[in-house]
Amino acid sequence: MVDDEGANGARPIVRRLGAFEERDDWSAAGWCRVERALEVVGTRSAMVLVRELFYGGTRFDDLARRAGISEAVAARRLRQLLDDGIVERVPYREPGQRTREGYRLTDRGRALFPIVVALTRWGDTLKDDHRTGLEFVHDSCGAPLDVEVRCADGHVVDLAESAVRFTDEEFALRYKAAHRP
Amino acid sequence: MVDDEGANGARPIVRRLGAFEERDDWSAAGWCRVERALEVVGTRSAMVLVRELFYGGTRFDDLARRAGISEAVAARRLRQLLDDGIVERVPYREPGQRTREGYRLTDRGRALFPIVVALTRWGDTLKDDHRTGLEFVHDSCGAPLDVEVRCADGHVVDLAESAVRFTDEEFALRYKAAHRP
DNA sequence: CTGTATCCCAGCGGATACTG
DNA sequence: CAGTATCCGCTGGGATACAG
């Protein structure tokens, strides 16, 4: 589903991943989904734009200014997010104005929500200045949002209760080999 | 709690934040906790090192090689993570060897767990190649881990049920002013 | 208003060589 | 084994000017 190039021949998602696959060292790159994610939203400008989109911004101008980045950077990053399928353009029209184009998160982009909330919560703990400007809340009850790590069976999982499991034979061998050569 | 400089006069956490605070534009930077977080773990090398630390790595050599980064970069980044209070050095001794120093996540570092899990899960959706090498699981039941957005009242919150609330008067005014100048 | 085109600089990350 | 020192290319991001 990821490599559908569309009718216009757009490059596949996560295109820069190629650089990893060509690497001859065994490194976790290419295996690791954290790195895949960082290829797309690993830059400051990408994340603050995504943040503004979650805050409800749609117009180019608003996004750039609220994100606190220059318009040049905003344009570059938005185009990239467009290519990566994180945002899509959507026409809108203000009363008495001509139709314009705005930006909106796609499903793939909306799936970044837990990451944004997690980053927000963690960033919260870095400083005791609590004048944070705005926060995510549950619409119906008004309580602020947080993230919780759970397993597929529904148990809340503390870090101490979590483990790492190898799912690939070859990977496990190479990974362990790196431990004691 | 964050600005305790310790007996050795270490620089305060999130030192680079100063650059934001000096900015005269109103931008969300300085307010936004996402950006605070990115100041610390916003680089690829920082995140992959943190990932390896969650995977259980402790020794410099292992961390660098498994993370797939050069030792020079690993050293730079680890020093920074040390300064930022994400990792700490811990002595260890292999049988028959002299005592050496390794790295371990601090409490602040361990608090990054939801972010790592969230990034992992999202990165998962970017490619349908499911040979991911390893995964986080719940130790007791073996089910893989995921993250869930919840509000402080315990409700599971979908993006559609979430809202944004201003918590600062001045911020709200400036933020809205950016909407229609 | 929504960008594009340049130019510039700082920082990330790689490679290599060297130390305790 | 656990780094440090140096050099160097790439790109992220700012500034400025321009365009549809």
Side-chain angles (χ1 to χ4, degrees), chain B:
Chain B
M1 298 314 118
V2 163
D3 290 329
D4 53 355
E5 301 214 347
N8 53 2
R11 286 171 305 174
I13 305 296
V14 203
R15 63 216 176 290
R16 280 158 299 167
L17 214 58
F20 289 140
E21 285 157 357
E22 285 153 15
R23 287 167 63 168
D24 56 348
D25 71 287
W26 75 279
S27 110
W31 296 90
C32 180
R33 297 147 295 174
V34 170
E35 293 179 54
R36 289 181 195 167
L38 292 181
E39 289 301 308
V40 182
V41 291
T43 64
R44 197 183 83 94
S45 55
M47 274 305 310
V48 296
L49 280 172
V50 167
R51 179 198 71 197
E52 289 306 324
L53 287 159
F54 275 116
Y55 285 167
T58 54
R59 292 170 25 188
F60 178 84
D61 199 49
D62 293 349
L63 293 172
R65 294 203 296 174
R66 293 178 180 172
I69 60 181
S70 72
E71 291 176 350
V73 174
R76 278 203 300 251
R77 213 51 49 193
L78 281 169
R79 180 205 298 286
Q80 201 169 48
L81 291 172
L82 221 34
D83 288 351
D84 288 339
I86 307 304
V87 302
E88 60 192 354
R89 319 195 72 178
V90 46
Y92 73 93
R93 124 174 281 160
E94 307 253 343
Q97 303 281 330
R98 68 174 174 80
T99 303
R100 300 182 184 283
E101 298 262 12
Y103 294 89
R104 186 173 54 183
L105 289 167
T106 61
D107 283 347
R108 191 196 302 280
R110 280 190 283 273
L112 287 165
F113 194 47
I115 296 176
V116 173
V117 175
L119 283 169
T120 301
R121 298 296 299 188
W122 190 78
D124 231 347
T125 68
L126 293 180
K127 239 190 162 189
D128 26 45
D129 173 10
H130 285 117
R131 301 185 316 137
T132 50
L134 31 67
E135 63 184 5
F136 290 111
V137 296
H138 186 193
D139 199 12
S140 59
C141 78
L145 301 190
D146 201 353
V147 296
E148 206 167 69
V149 176
R150 295 193 157 233
C151 74
D153 281 1
H155 308 120
V156 178
V157 179
D158 186 71
L159 176 56
E161 305 169 80
S162 68
V164 174
R165 181 170 60 199
F166 289 100
T167 58
D168 184 283
E169 197 68 24
E170 183 198 353
F171 181 89
L173 290 175
R174 299 170 97 173
Y175 191 88
K176 285 168 183 161
H179 186 59
R180 276 313 234 174

Side-chain angles (χ1 to χ4, degrees), chain A residues 1-15 81-86 88 106-108, chain B residues 125-129:
Chain A
M1 298 310 116
V2 164
D3 290 329
D4 52 358
E5 301 216 346
N8 52 4
R11 287 170 304 171
I13 305 296
V14 202
R15 63 215 174 290
L81 291 172
L82 220 36
D83 288 351
D84 288 339
I86 308 303
E88 60 191 356
T106 61
D107 284 346
R108 190 196 302 280
Chain B
T125 68
L126 293 180
K127 239 190 162 189
D128 26 45
D129 173 10

Side-chain angles (χ1 to χ4, degrees), chain A residues 138-159:
Chain A
H138 186 191
D139 200 13
S140 59
C141 79
L145 301 190
D146 201 352
V147 296
E148 206 166 67
V149 177
R150 295 194 157 234
C151 73
D153 279 1
H155 308 120
V156 178
V157 179
D158 186 71
L159 176 56

Side-chain angles (χ1 to χ4, degrees), chain A residues 44 56 66 87 90 157 165-166 175:
Chain A
R44 197 182 84 94
R66 292 176 180 174
V87 302
V90 45
V157 179
R165 180 171 60 200
F166 290 100
Y175 191 87

Side-chain angles (χ1 to χ4, degrees), chain A residues 33-88:
Chain A
R33 298 147 293 177
V34 170
E35 291 178 53
R36 289 182 195 163
L38 292 181
E39 289 301 310
V40 182
V41 290
T43 64
R44 197 182 84 94
S45 56
M47 274 305 311
V48 297
L49 280 172
V50 167
R51 178 198 72 197
E52 289 306 323
L53 287 159
F54 275 117
Y55 285 166
T58 53
R59 292 171 23 190
F60 178 84
D61 199 49
D62 292 350
L63 292 173
R65 295 203 296 172
R66 292 176 180 174
I69 60 181
S70 73
E71 290 174 353
V73 174
R76 276 201 304 248
R77 213 51 50 194
L78 281 170
R79 179 205 298 282
Q80 201 170 44
L81 291 172
L82 220 36
D83 288 351
D84 288 339
I86 308 303
V87 302
E88 60 191 356

Side-chain angles (χ1 to χ4, degrees), chain A residues 98-118:
Chain A
R98 67 174 174 82
T99 303
R100 299 182 186 284
E101 297 262 13
Y103 294 89
R104 186 172 54 182
L105 289 167
T106 61
D107 284 346
R108 190 196 302 280
R110 278 189 284 272
L112 287 165
F113 194 47
I115 296 176
V116 173
V117 175

